[in-house]
Amino acid sequence: MKKVIQKMSLVVFLLSTTLISACTQSLGAVESTQTASIAAQGPVDAKEIEAFADPLFAEKMKEYNVAGSSFVVVRDGKVLVNKGYGFANKEKKIPVDKDTVFQIGSVSKTFTALAAMQQVDAGKIDLHANIEEYLGGLKIPNNTGKPVTMYDLLTYTPGFAFPDETTFTGPQYIGQDISMDEFFPKHMPVIIRPPGETYTYDNTGFLLAGYAVEKASGIPFAQYMDEKVFKPLGMTSTSERLKPELMKRMAANYYDNGEPRPLEGTNPTDGPQGSIISTAEDMAKYMIMHLQNGKFDGKEIVSQKSMELMHTHQIFADDIPITTVGFENYFPEYTNGQHVVLKGGNMPGHSSLMVLIPEHKTGFFMSYNNDSMVSADIYKEFMDHYFPETEKKAEPDYLPLSEADAQKYFGLYQHTRAYWTRTSITYEDGSLVLESEATGKQKLRMIRPLLFVDEAGEKVAFKEDKNGNIKYFYYTTPKGVNLAGETQKMEMKKTYSDVPNTSSYKTHINNLSALSIMGAKSGNKFDPTGTMTQGEFADALIKAEGHYVMAGMEDGLRQQLAAGIPNLNPSAPITRQVAAAMIQNLKQLEPVATSKVTLQDTADAWAKDAITALVSQGIVDPDTKVNPDGSFTFRAKDLLKRQEACALLDLAFGYYSLPIKR
C-alpha cells in the first residue's frame, strides 16, 4: 500500500514584513478556531463537507488515475452528502452519481457477519459451537484438536492453510450459477493452526460462514440476504448476485493504468466473502443502521448485543486492536485516538471503503473503479480534518535489549496469509533487526518484552506459545504494506553434520530446512553435493512456491513447471538447465534491463532464456560467478547438486511479496 502523500504547503507572497506578521497572526487564529470547531463537531454541514471533499477527490483521483468515485457521509441518522466524482464509464462520459452500482468486494464480509449474528440472535447458530454442526454434514480437515467456530470465522482466526485460494474470481463466472453445495465438497479448506490462535485475513472463512447461514436458516444465501437484510433496509439496488437490471447502472472496471478491464464474477456464484454489488444510496442506509445499534426505520435488523460484537475489537496483538466480528482495524495510525471500525474491499477494477466512528454516529463510504489505494488517502484526510489528533503521544521509554535476551526472537518467519513472504530477525547494537522484501531492513527498539517499535514508529507485537517460545509477530510495515495477517516463526532444524559453518550454502540449506522444503537425506546428513531426480526437484519447487499446497492444485502446477521442457522423466537425474527452466516456468521473470548478462557455456535453446532471466535477477548459486562484463558460465548440462537446488529455490521464492487485496 502506498504511503499517504502530504499536501503541498501554500506559498503566500506578501509585500511587507508587517503585513506578513499581522496576516499570519490573524489567519492563524481563524484557522485554529475553525479546526477546533470542526474537531469538536465532526462533519455536520453539507456545504463544508463538499468544500473539503471536492478538491480532495479531484487531487487524489488524478494522482491515482481513478476514473470515477462515489462518496457518502452520514451523521446522526441522516445523509449529509451523497455525490459522485468523475465517470462511471469514461469512454461513454457517464458520470458517477448516488445510484451508480459498484462491486463492493470484501465490504460484503460485514453483511455476512450481520447475517450470521441474526442467526445467533434467533438461536439457530451458537457462536462458539463447532461450525461443522451447521454445514449439512460436511467435515473440515483438522488435526489441531480444536474445532473451528463461527466466532473464529468472523474474527479472521480459523487457522486455514489457504485463506484466499479456495475462492475464485474471473470473467468466466459471469452468468454461471455455481452453488456452495456444489463448490465445498471439492474445495474444503484445511485447518493447520489451532482456531483462534492467530489473525490471518481470510476469504475462505467468510465463504464458509455464509454457507453455515444458508444451512442454519434453510434459505439459499442470496435469497436470505435479499429477504432478511437488503429488503428491511430498503436497499433496493443491492444484491449478492450480478442482476441484469443492476448491471445496467454498474460502473466500468479499469486497470490502474486507466485501461478497461473485464467484469469478473465469483465461484461459487454467491460470495459471502465479497460478491455484493451496491450503490452509495443503499450503503448510506446500511451505515445508518450500524450507527443506530442495529435498528433502522423502527425495525430491529440485529440485536444491540450482536452489534456491539461487530463494533468492539475482539482480536489483539499485544495492545494493537486488529478485528471485530466482521470489521478490521488496518491503518490504526489514522484513527487519531478515535474508536474506528472499517472494512475495505476489492474486486478486479472496483474498490470500496466503509468507515464507522460509532461514538460520533458518523460514517462514510466510497466506491471507485480501479484497484488503487486512493481510499487510504481519503480516509486519512477525513480523519485529520474532522477528528484531528488532540494530543501528541509521548515518546516511549525504550528498554535495553541484550543479545542474550534477544535470542528468543531470532529466526526465520513465514507469513500466515502471504505464505511466500519470509522475514528474518537478528540482533545488532541493542536492537532487533527485522528484514524482508516487504519491510526492508528495520531496527526494532523494545518498549517492553514482546512489544517493539520500528524506525518509523510502527509497532511490532510478538506472541508466545504456552511454553514461552516466540511463535508469531504482527506488524504493519513502514512502507504502508499491510499483509493482513500474523507471521509465524519457523522451527529451525538441527545443524547438519555434513554442512560446515563456512559453507556458502549453509543459510540457503537452513532456510529450506526450516520451511520443510528440503531436509536430511539420511539421519543428520543433508548430502549437500548429492544429486536429485527431476521428480524430487519438482516436489521441492512446489513446496517453495506455496509451502502448503491445496488439494487439486498440484497437477496444474506440475503441468506449468514442465512446459516447454522435452523428455521429462521424474526418476531421471535433473540438470541445472532443467531446474532453471522449471523455476522460470513458475516465476515468469523478466530479465532485468540494467543487468545485461551473457551465457558463455552451452545450453539447449529451450533453457537459455530461463537461465538468463534468473541470473539477471540475481537468482544464482554461490559457485556461479557473474563477471564485471556480465558474462557467466552456468554449467547448464551438469547435474544439479542438492545445495545448489537450495540456493536457487531460496533466492527465487524467499524474500518475495505480492500486493495483497481484501
Side-chain angles (χ1 to χ4, degrees):
M1 293 182 184
K2 297 180 180 178
K3 275 283 186 185
V4 175
I5 300 179
Q6 302 296 326
K7 286 184 176 180
M8 296 179 62
S9 10
L10 294 174
V11 180
V12 182
F13 294 92
L14 298 172
L15 296 176
S16 86
T17 309
T18 305
L19 186 57
I20 290 173
S21 176
C23 286
T24 300
Q25 292 176 14
S26 175
L27 290 171
V30 171
E31 184 177 351
S32 177
T33 301
Q34 288 177 341
T35 301
S37 176
I38 292 169
Q41 299 179 68
V44 294
D45 179 74
K47 289 184 178 179
E48 188 281 326
I49 297 170
E50 290 191 54
F52 157 73
D54 289 357
L56 177 62
F57 272 84
E59 173 194 345
K60 294 300 179 181
M61 287 171 62
K62 181 178 180 182
E63 178 184 335
Y64 285 90
N65 201 24
V66 175
S69 179
S70 63
F71 179 62
V72 59
V73 180
V74 301
R75 175 74 181 257
D76 292 327
K78 297 178 181 178
V79 177
L80 297 181
V81 166
N82 186 2
K83 65 184 303 184
Y85 297 98
F87 294 106
N89 187 309
K90 63 183 181 180
E91 289 77 25
K92 296 180 180 179
K93 303 298 181 186
I94 300 173
V96 174
D97 61 26
K98 63 185 180 62
D99 295 316
T100 300
V101 174
F102 286 90
Q103 294 174 289
I104 69 171
S106 287
V107 179
S108 305
K109 289 180 173 66
T110 68
F111 286 88
T112 299
L114 180 77
M117 296 312 299
Q118 286 178 329
Q119 291 297 292
V120 171
D121 289 343
K124 293 186 176 181
I125 290 179
D126 183 333
L127 195 58
H128 300 287
N130 188 336
I131 198 66
E132 290 182 343
E133 294 181 19
Y134 314 106
L135 300 182
L138 291 180
K139 301 296 181 183
I140 306 172
N142 181 1
N143 293 322
T144 69
K146 185 179 180 184
V148 65
T149 68
M150 179 63 83
Y151 181 82
D152 299 324
L153 299 179
L154 299 182
T155 56
Y156 306 82
T157 60
F160 291 138
F162 286 94
D164 298 314
E165 295 178 3
T166 51
T167 62
F168 306 97
T169 63
Q172 68 271 30
Y173 302 124
I174 301 292
Q176 293 198 40
D177 189 354
I178 305 167
S179 70
M180 288 189 277
D181 278 330
E182 178 185 349
F183 179 87
F184 269 119
K186 301 174 185 176
H187 302 285
M188 184 57 70
V190 177
I191 295 172
I192 59 170
R193 286 176 288 273
E197 181 173 276
T198 188
Y199 157 67
T200 304
Y201 188 85
D202 201 304
N203 280 301
T204 299
F206 277 81
L207 177 62
L208 202 62
Y211 188 57
V213 168
E214 181 175 287
K215 292 300 179 184
S217 67
I219 303 172
F221 188 73
Q223 180 183 340
Y224 180 96
M225 298 303 291
D226 283 342
E227 294 178 0
K228 305 296 185 182
V229 179
F230 304 147
K231 186 176 179 180
L233 289 172
M235 298 176 71
T236 56
S237 295
T238 303
S239 174
E240 273 282 335
R241 297 192 164 203
L242 296 171
K243 293 181 178 179
E245 63 270 26
L246 296 180
M247 291 175 68
K248 293 175 183 177
R249 289 190 269 131
M250 182 176 285
N253 302 63
Y254 294 98
Y255 291 99
D256 288 356
N257 65 4
E259 292 296 317
R261 69 182 301 171
L263 175 70
E264 297 194 13
T266 59
N267 177 11
T269 304
D270 294 338
Q273 79 287 0
S275 71
I276 289 177
I277 58 176
S278 190
T279 65
E281 179 84 354
D282 277 5
M283 290 302 296
K285 299 171 183 176
Y286 181 60
M287 289 192 292
I288 288 170
M289 179 274 297
H290 270 279
L291 297 168
Q292 293 180 159
N293 296 316
K295 294 182 174 63
F296 184 82
D297 197 22
K299 302 183 291 285
E300 183 177 86
I301 307 301
V302 70
S303 72
Q304 183 171 341
K305 180 181 178 182
S306 290
M307 199 95 284
E308 287 172 356
L309 285 173
M310 295 186 71
H311 293 172
T312 304
H313 290 111
Q314 307 290 317
I315 304 301
F316 293 80
D318 199 279
D319 64 352
I320 307 169
I322 304 178
T323 69
T324 73
V325 166
F327 287 88
E328 298 182 88
N329 187 43
Y330 52 91
F331 300 119
E333 67 274 22
Y334 296 170
T335 63
N336 293 342
Q338 299 292 333
H339 175 68
V340 177
V341 293
L342 56 75
K343 189 74 198 74
N346 302 86
M347 281 291 284
H350 279 189
S351 302
S352 296
L353 176 67
M354 181 171 70
V355 175
L356 300 176
I357 311 167
E359 292 168 5
H360 293 275
K361 304 296 183 185
T362 298
F364 84 81
F365 176 82
M366 61 183 291
S367 286
Y368 51 100
N369 48 6
N370 74 5
D371 290 336
S372 73
M373 286 306 299
V374 66
S375 56
D377 285 24
I378 301 296
Y379 171 41
K380 182 181 189 304
E381 296 287 349
F382 183 92
M383 295 303 297
D384 287 349
H385 185 72
Y386 291 111
F387 302 99
E389 195 170 28
T390 54
E391 57 183 52
K392 275 287 183 187
K393 295 178 182 177
E395 184 80 6
D397 294 323
Y398 299 109
L399 299 179
L401 180 67
S402 69
E403 187 167 5
D405 289 339
Q407 290 281 340
K408 66 188 291 186
Y409 302 99
F410 292 179
L412 180 70
Y413 294 72
Q414 184 178 41
H415 200 272
T416 56
R417 183 190 184 202
Y419 45 81
W420 51 84
T421 302
R422 303 180 199 163
T423 301
S424 68
I425 292 184
T426 54
Y427 179 82
E428 185 180 307
D429 299 330
S431 300
L432 291 183
V433 176
L434 180 151
E435 189 168 7
S436 77
E437 178 72 18
T439 65
K441 185 176 181 180
Q442 288 288 320
K443 285 192 173 183
L444 309 181
R445 290 175 290 177
M446 184 167 69
I447 298 175
R448 58 177 178 271
L450 303 182
L451 186 63
F452 292 73
V453 66
D454 72 6
E455 297 163 52
E458 299 288 347
K459 289 181 178 178
V460 182
F462 290 86
K463 186 186 296 182
E464 295 177 326
D465 64 16
K466 62 183 179 181
N467 298 317
N469 300 313
I470 299 296
K471 193 164 186 180
Y472 302 100
F473 73 79
Y474 176 76
Y475 182 32
T476 299
T477 77
K479 293 181 180 180
V481 178
N482 190 325
L483 297 179
E486 296 186 60
T487 301
Q488 183 173 3
K489 190 175 184 181
M490 306 310 297
E491 181 183 352
M492 298 302 291
K493 305 296 190 291
K494 294 180 180 179
T495 301
Y496 296 110
S497 61
D498 56 350
V499 181
N501 290 332
T502 56
S503 170
S504 55
Y505 291 91
K506 184 178 177 65
T507 298
H508 300 304
I509 291 170
N510 285 346
N511 285 348
L512 264 66
S513 179
L515 295 166
S516 299
I517 294 169
M518 288 181 65
K521 189 71 172 178
S522 63
N524 194 34
K525 293 184 180 296
F526 185 79
D527 190 19
T529 59
T531 60
M532 304 177 70
T533 67
Q534 294 176 2
E536 288 171 337
F537 184 78
D539 290 343
L541 176 54
I542 289 172
K543 289 179 182 178
E545 195 276 339
H547 187 43
Y548 300 105
V549 179
M550 275 172 37
M553 282 183 61
E554 282 199 28
D555 289 345
L557 286 174
R558 290 184 189 280
Q559 290 176 14
Q560 183 179 342
L561 63 85
I565 306 174
N567 304 318
L568 279 180
N569 179 354
S571 61
I574 189 168
T575 62
R576 289 169 55 83
Q577 66 176 359
V578 170
M582 283 186 173
I583 293 172
Q584 177 62 355
N585 280 341
L586 288 189
K587 293 288 289 185
Q588 296 293 303
L589 295 171
E590 294 291 334
V592 178
T594 57
S595 178
K596 191 171 184 179
V597 294
T598 307
L599 177 65
Q600 295 294 299
D601 57 323
T602 302
D604 289 331
W606 49 263
K608 288 181 180 179
D609 288 347
I611 293 170
T612 301
L614 295 186
V615 174
S616 75
Q617 292 272 358
I619 300 171
V620 61
D621 60 279
D623 289 324
T624 300
K625 305 301 180 185
V626 180
N627 299 316
D629 65 356
S631 64
F632 68 97
T633 300
F634 193 71
R635 312 180 307 283
K637 297 192 177 184
D638 287 0
L639 295 182
L640 180 73
K641 297 175 182 177
R642 283 168 54 82
Q643 64 183 11
E644 294 168 352
C646 286
L648 293 176
L649 293 175
D650 192 32
L651 291 168
F653 297 96
Y655 298 122
Y656 177 63
S657 62
L658 292 174
I660 294 294
K661 295 293 185 183
R662 286 179 160 77

